[in-house]
Amino acid sequence: MKNFLRGGGILALLAAVALGAASCGSDPDVQPTAGVTEQHWKQIEQIAGGAVEKSYAFTAAGAWTARSTASWAVVKSESGQAGRSELRVAADENTSGTERSATITVQVKGHGPSSFILKQQSLTTASKDNETLDRWMFDYMKTHYLWNEAVAKLTPDYTLDYKDFLRKVLVDVAAQGDVNHDDGHWSVDNAGQSVRQSFYTNIQRYPKATRGTRETADGFGIDYIVYGSFVDGSGNPTGELFFIVLAVAPGSPADKAGVRRGDYIVKVAGRAITPTTLEADWGLLMSQTSAATATFSPGVLSGNGLGVGDPKTLTRATYDDNPVWLAKTFDSPAGKVGYLWYNAFNLNYDDELIAAVGRLKAEGAKELILDLRYNGGGHVVSSVVLGTLVAGDAKKGQVYANTTYNADRMAAGEKAAVYSLGSSIVKYGGANGNDARYEPIATALASSLGLQTVYVLGTSNTASASELVINGLRGVDIEVRLIGGRTNGKNVGMEPIVRELGDWEYDFSPVTFYSVNAKGFKDYSDGFAPDAALDALSGDIYPMGDERDPLIASALRWIGGQNPASAALTRADGRELIALPRPARRLDGMIALPLE
């Protein structure tokens, strides 16, 4: 799932280096293709000028060796065996004053070589660029960060890499009595350091020429997967490890290849999934690497567990990123029930959102199930559009949300931005204090359902602009019945700023405001508790929009007059399944932008 901050995927535009390829063709015992797959390096790997050690995961078809063409880039893992492996390269400080390059080559026995170029900035250039970025971020945080007073107490270290610099600022602010508690939950990054989850969306870098559009995504289109294992009679994992696909973007390569919600994946790159390969395999399938293809084997349920189906290969592609994934109606004793799976608040698709709800209205929908279970947020104005589509004319002009800034900004005369249902006028509270227009909010009234009650399906991945729907509608006395799990608890948002430096564009989005509803409520940093608690992963997992889905079925029963109780679910085949720890799924945040 792509959002405004992420833009398009980062593309490697330079050609690969293929050393020794000419000699391979004359040796009948050497395959012409490299024996390396699922490699976690780009053809050009750019590193900063300081001393650093980098690790790159890959899969080897046989025994392998690795070498470097430069003495300053030392290969620490010089050889290994077939299977999942790790290439470690240590680079010295670059005090030469110019950028330098080394070619790193992995040679698998019986195959051609696989190489990439390691480019290292000069220490002088890297330090200058980092200081520029560090000062830019720190100056903005001193004035706009929601907890800017704590930032002003810090002594910044402008020698740090810009990401390490931001990490340190967030940690040092938190050390002041956890004042920025609402800036995100603590998690552990790949280096084992504790950081705010919001760190992952605070600063993003893109090549200026390859950023892509805000209407497309690049990848395989598997939007969400979890790790799973079956449990034996004693409640212990059986050792059989697999992925479960929970969301697939319509029109993506995965969708076109027939990958569906509820599918199992038991092999990646031809080998079984193991605890040591989980994170790398997850990153590959979720398009977190630059790999052009991903090969996996689907799991087939059998009497004793999961069999192995025929392998499938996905090819990376650009596809339409429309977040309106499914709009349909159910027949129920209470009449037509509308259902909307909405996966991100992307203002580039607000017209499609309005049209989808308009179709539900035309089909006679009198109730709405709003599926936000994996919606991590997005643009505030898109949330106002959705709120208007639910509420209709009866709530026109009522305040849906307003923003509050830090004390210094408010004291300087900045007013809260006010977003009202059905009104194209946004009372924008930015530095100029001028009102702005966003026409889709008013346009949405013609397609609105005018409901007094809405059924929201949520999980811990329901965050930010999704939670704004819950809080905003409750603020105007629309009953929101939440089914599923406790939501994420993101009650704050960001006003992104952009800076160009060299060949790069940097998006910086620290938390700058609280979101408050018409009743003045904003304290949901621990998330919204469900009215009917259901762990959908403990039961059978059905395709998207299937009325047998536990959360959808619960909403339909509630609409039919049966108040659903919280319950533990079971699988029809009697197996007990557990979802295992997995890498954090990035959330989109709550994004407020100045409007024209």
Side-chain angles (χ1 to χ4, degrees):
M1 175 178 60
K2 179 183 70 59
N3 59 45
F4 179 84
L5 297 179
R6 192 178 74 195
I10 298 177
L11 306 179
L13 299 180
L14 299 176
V17 176
L19 298 180
S23 64
C24 296
S26 60
D27 188 344
D29 294 326
V30 176
Q31 298 296 320
T33 57
V36 171
T37 57
E38 320 301 348
Q39 61 267 36
H40 284 210
W41 60 72
K42 303 182 186 73
Q43 292 169 353
I44 304 292
E45 281 289 334
Q46 187 81 49
I47 60 174
V52 65
E53 183 169 316
K54 303 287 289 185
S55 295
Y56 305 97
F58 68 98
T59 297
W64 58 272
T65 57
R67 67 181 187 275
S68 167
T69 60
S71 60
W72 60 265
V74 178
V75 175
K76 308 289 285 187
S77 50
E78 296 181 326
S79 61
Q81 301 301 313
R84 200 64 175 170
S85 300
E86 184 179 75
L87 176 66
R88 291 183 293 113
V89 182
D92 298 333
E93 282 189 357
N94 182 9
T95 57
S96 67
T98 60
E99 184 178 71
R100 59 187 180 182
S101 300
T103 299
I104 311 299
T105 302
V106 177
Q107 178 74 59
V108 177
K109 186 176 181 180
H111 293 264
S114 179
S115 303
F116 66 94
I117 294 176
L118 192 68
K119 283 194 171 186
Q120 186 181 38
Q121 292 177 294
S122 73
L123 192 60
T124 302
T125 301
S127 297
K128 182 179 179 181
D129 286 353
N130 276 318
E131 181 175 352
T132 299
L133 290 170
D134 293 351
R135 288 185 181 277
W136 171 61
M137 290 190 296
F138 195 73
D139 289 345
Y140 187 65
M141 291 185 77
K142 283 194 299 183
T143 58
H144 282 70
Y145 189 52
L146 197 48
W147 303 276
N148 67 316
E149 291 181 353
V151 174
K153 297 177 182 178
L154 304 180
T155 301
D157 182 357
Y158 295 130
T159 67
L160 295 174
D161 172 82
Y162 70 97
K163 285 190 175 182
D164 291 334
F165 176 82
L166 178 57
R167 185 198 316 273
K168 188 174 189 306
V169 169
L170 291 171
V171 171
D172 289 351
V173 169
Q176 300 177 45
D178 197 26
V179 294
N180 60 341
H181 172 82
D182 291 349
D183 189 7
H185 310 295
W186 286 106
S187 66
V188 178
D189 68 5
N190 292 335
Q193 296 177 289
S194 293
V195 295
R196 293 289 186 190
Q197 277 189 6
S198 62
F199 170 77
Y200 296 103
T201 56
N202 277 144
I203 183 71
Q204 301 293 323
R205 184 177 81 161
Y206 311 100
K208 285 191 296 189
T210 61
R211 177 157 182 173
T213 72
R214 297 166 190 165
E215 291 82 31
T216 59
D218 175 73
F220 305 127
I222 297 178
D223 186 72
Y224 195 29
I225 53 178
V226 294
Y227 310 149
S229 176
F230 290 130
V231 176
D232 63 22
S234 301
N236 299 313
T238 60
E240 188 174 24
L241 201 57
F242 46 80
F243 290 123
I244 310 167
V245 177
L246 297 182
V248 177
S252 66
D255 180 45
K256 292 178 180 178
V259 182
R260 297 291 180 262
R261 171 175 161 79
D263 284 354
Y264 296 95
I265 295 175
V266 294
K267 285 188 175 183
V268 178
R271 46 159 178 73
I273 300 165
T274 68
T276 58
T277 67
L278 274 175
E279 185 171 338
D281 292 341
W282 180 90
L284 172 65
L285 294 172
M286 290 286 289
S287 303
Q288 301 295 305
T289 74
S290 58
T293 61
T295 301
F296 68 92
S297 297
V300 181
L301 280 172
S302 63
N304 297 322
L306 284 172
V308 182
D310 294 334
K312 294 184 177 183
T313 298
L314 302 177
T315 301
R316 194 180 192 96
T318 298
Y319 57 92
D320 188 23
D321 200 27
N322 185 352
V324 182
W325 279 14
L326 181 63
K328 61 181 289 187
T329 56
F330 296 109
D331 291 316
S332 80
K336 290 282 187 180
V337 176
Y339 170 84
L340 179 68
W341 182 306
Y342 186 52
N343 213 50
F345 290 83
N346 185 335
L347 57 76
N348 297 288
Y349 288 96
D350 282 347
D351 288 344
E352 285 80 356
L353 173 61
I354 293 168
V357 177
R359 289 193 298 271
L360 298 180
K361 181 177 182 178
E363 292 174 23
K366 302 299 182 185
E367 303 283 358
L368 179 64
I369 300 172
L370 186 54
D371 203 330
L372 303 177
R373 69 182 79 190
Y374 306 134
N375 189 323
H379 294 99
V380 172
V381 289
S382 298
S383 185
V384 187
V385 169
L386 183 54
T388 299
L389 288 167
V390 171
D393 285 302
K395 304 294 182 179
K396 180 181 177 181
Q398 295 192 29
V399 173
Y400 178 75
N402 58 65
T403 58
T404 60
Y405 309 114
N406 63 48
D408 288 344
R409 292 177 68 183
M410 301 297 280
E414 289 198 49
K415 299 177 182 179
V418 181
Y419 301 86
S420 299
L421 294 168
S423 173
S424 62
I425 301 298
V426 176
K427 294 186 178 299
Y428 179 65
N432 57 18
N434 293 334
D435 293 347
R437 300 185 69 87
Y438 189 67
E439 292 299 339
I441 299 174
T443 304
L445 280 172
S447 299
S448 64
L449 298 175
L451 303 175
Q452 291 297 315
T453 303
V454 64
Y455 299 80
V456 173
L457 311 184
T459 67
S460 60
N461 294 287
T462 304
S464 275
S466 286
E467 291 171 299
L468 177 56
V469 172
I470 298 170
N471 198 47
L473 291 178
R474 285 178 174 172
V476 295
D477 295 319
I478 289 178
E479 184 178 4
V480 179
R481 295 177 172 178
L482 181 60
I483 300 170
R486 180 179 286 274
T487 62
N488 183 268
K490 197 72 173 174
N491 59 342
V492 291
M494 305 96 75
E495 301 157 281
I497 59 172
V498 177
R499 169 145 192 179
E500 293 183 359
L501 186 63
D503 294 330
W504 300 95
E505 182 178 279
Y506 296 84
D507 281 340
F508 184 42
S509 357
V511 167
T512 58
F513 65 86
Y514 273 112
S515 174
V516 186
N517 72 9
K519 296 182 178 180
F521 183 73
K522 65 176 178 62
D523 299 322
Y524 53 93
S525 61
D526 292 328
F528 289 107
D531 300 293
L534 297 171
D535 179 5
L537 294 182
S538 63
D540 292 299
I541 299 171
Y542 294 97
M544 181 171 59
D546 194 306
E547 61 186 288
R548 295 171 296 173
D549 173 86
L551 304 189
I552 296 174
S554 178
L556 290 172
R557 286 195 301 272
W558 205 342
I559 290 169
Q562 302 177 46
N563 193 340
S566 300
L569 304 175
T570 58
R571 293 169 52 88
D573 58 17
R575 292 187 178 94
E576 185 179 350
L577 181 149
I578 59 172
L580 303 176
R582 56 193 181 272
R585 185 170 189 264
R586 178 178 159 181
L587 303 176
D588 294 353
M590 194 187 315
I591 306 165
L593 297 173
L595 301 171
E596 296 298 333

